[in-house]
Amino acid sequence: MSDQRERDRIDVLIGAFFSAFDNRGGVLPELKRVVDCFSDKAVIVRHSKAATAIYTPLEFALPRIDLLANGTLRDFHEYETDSSTSIFGGIATRTSRYSKLGILNDRDYSGSGTKCFQLVDLSDGWRISSLAWVDDDA
């Protein structure tokens, strides 16, 4: 396939990842939508001033879905503001700048940061094999 076709497929995957956490309009996030973005043995890393945390897709998704479903974080969405993708056969890297907005504990909430995705083209399509991110305030 052409690089453009592969980029388009990766764009769809990354869009699905970001949209999986969107709870605007009372939409409830679904665990399956998050986990389906990842390969079986994916690793997720969050770096902050306090610590670096390493998660499986399930460990990453469950507390975030709870936060979005229990009313603590409402009208939330996170979205790419810029990205760069490099494809090398059946693997790819994507660096994404993102912003996020919502209402956390009844107060306006916003932020931005960088996510670095490693992707792999499996028999059922592109999946995230690793994700590392840092918020700008970290």
Side-chain angles (χ1 to χ4, degrees):
M1 283 188 213
S2 73
D3 267 2
Q4 186 56 53
R5 170 121 168 85
E6 296 307 315
R7 281 181 207 288
D8 292 346
R9 292 174 63 209
I10 290 169
D11 287 347
V12 168
L13 172 63
I14 300 303
F17 170 80
F18 280 109
S19 71
F21 299 99
D22 190 328
N23 72 348
R24 292 176 292 176
V27 172
L28 293 177
E30 298 173 28
L31 180 61
K32 183 174 177 11
R33 287 187 62 208
V34 178
V35 174
D36 284 353
C37 292
F38 292 91
S39 64
D40 289 342
K41 298 187 184 216
V43 176
I44 302 164
V45 178
R46 178 179 186 230
H47 180 75
S48 71
K49 289 178 191 172
T52 297
I54 301 174
Y55 308 97
T56 66
L58 197 58
E59 292 167 337
F60 166 76
L62 285 173
R64 285 159 182 80
I65 287 175
D66 185 48
L67 186 70
L68 293 164
N70 71 17
T72 303
L73 181 55
R74 297 178 287 114
D75 297 323
F76 179 80
H77 69 290
E78 185 175 64
Y79 54 95
E80 274 189 317
T81 58
D82 192 31
S83 69
S84 172
T85 303
S86 297
I87 301 169
F88 310 96
I91 63 171
T93 62
R94 183 182 188 108
T95 303
S96 298
R97 288 290 302 155
Y98 66 90
S99 291
K100 54 188 174 182
L101 298 168
I103 300 171
L104 178 63
N105 296 318
D106 297 322
R107 302 178 102 171
D108 287 341
Y109 172 72
S110 65
S112 58
T114 303
K115 285 185 169 38
C116 297
F117 297 90
Q118 298 293 313
L119 306 129
V120 60
D121 190 8
L122 301 173
S123 60
D124 59 346
W126 285 95
R127 295 291 179 266
I128 300 165
S129 58
S130 70
L131 164 61
W133 91 94
V134 62
D135 289 331
D136 287 341
D137 61 356

